[in-house]
Amino acid sequence: KRNSAYGEIRVIEKDSQYRYMVVNGFDQGGIDLRSGESAYIFDQGLIGLGQIYSRDSQRALIIGLGPGVMAATLQAAGLAAVAVEIDPEIRDVAQASFGFDGRVVVADGRRFLQRSNDTWDVIFVDAFAGGSPPWQLYTVEAFELYAAHLAPGGVVVLNCIGSHLDPTQLPALEAVVTTATQVFPVVDVYPD
């Protein structure tokens, strides 16, 4: 257990087989200790969507590190991947407890893009403060920043928590889609 300026970070092991990162009570991902791979197929789903929409990707940006599973998977596949994580404690836990050794910049994702001149083939937005996404990553201005930092043919893959089947959560998902369509001509939604 560790506390940071953003909340409580726990590393939990189950049956000496899996290790998970839990931030403010919400699961942020985990690894299978036997293989070092993700404990979930979810990471592969996000990566797969990026590969489907942006073939021959060479460079990826990940906003939100978590345990570093997605960044490590992309790097192992040969992509030049950089993760941006606002919480230095998350970076430290990813390195110490999950074996993450990739490139990570400690910064707010939106501010990082405001200061960057780089472009990426795929931008993954997978940042959460506990169970809630940081609002500043879901505004028209944020989507404009993503678009400005995409290489030709690039794609943004956005993880949005919520169920399209839950009437109380559907408005939030609809708001994200409505906002994204103000910047991007094509917005596809893949419910879990």
Side-chain angles (χ1 to χ4, degrees), residues 69-122:
V69 174
M70 188 163 35
T73 301
L74 290 167
Q75 291 169 342
L79 273 76
V82 59
V84 178
E85 173 56 52
I86 196 169
D87 189 343
E89 295 293 330
I90 295 285
R91 177 208 52 208
D92 295 348
V93 171
Q95 292 170 338
S97 298
F98 295 89
F100 179 71
D101 66 352
R103 183 169 171 226
V104 60
V105 175
V106 175
D108 174 270
R110 186 163 158 173
R111 292 204 185 270
F112 172 82
L113 286 171
Q114 289 170 334
R115 296 177 180 142
S116 175
N117 294 320
D118 290 334
T119 59
W120 291 273
D121 300 307
V122 183

